[in-house]
Amino acid sequence: MSQKHPLHAVPDPSLELSRRDDGFVVTARWQSDTGSDEINGPDEVVIRIHDEAGPEVRRHGITSAVLHRTGRQVDDMVAEFHDMPSVGAYQVMVGRYIESRLAELAQARGATADGFEADLLAVYEDLASRRHADPLGALATATGRTRAVLSRLLDVARQQDDQKGPSRERLA
């Protein structure tokens, strides 16, 4: 008699995050960890009318406006799932600054030249010198990379900087 083997391994219990928004509940579920350092969205998103929603909400149901607001809620839950700071007005401003500064640095060194790690380190140190509460988290949000990946990239930049030795500007 042959034994039946499961086709798929039993996934880890799912992680579920929820947000309430104007009469709706938005729930995001991750069924399993991808094992990757990349940012991943949920495997499932459920939008439902909250039990205590008013008649206006119930009459209109889930509209395109609700779906638009839901996108922001999902972004916030993805950030929470990956231990990244949530997006607010200040974080948006910082994110735009980071993107702009990284583009500026890339253009200055030549887009095909090596140096992305050094650019990240320069922006990280700039944020830290301005006493940003979480420069690594801000970089993670702006670049779509996890803290672990960014930490490795920053370490590479520091090692490269140490190998170059003191620059003429530092000696002057």
Side-chain angles (χ1 to χ4, degrees), residues 21 121 131 160:
D21 184 340
L121 183 59
R131 292 192 164 93
Q160 290 171 347

Side-chain angles (χ1 to χ4, degrees), residues 60-75:
H60 291 291
I62 299 171
T63 64
S64 60
V66 172
L67 291 174
H68 182 71
R69 286 195 319 268
T70 299
R72 291 191 303 260
Q73 297 295 337
V74 172
D75 286 346

Side-chain angles (χ1 to χ4, degrees), residues 3 19 69 80 97 154:
Q3 280 186 315
R19 298 285 187 276
R69 286 195 319 268
E80 181 180 337
Y97 167 76
L154 293 172

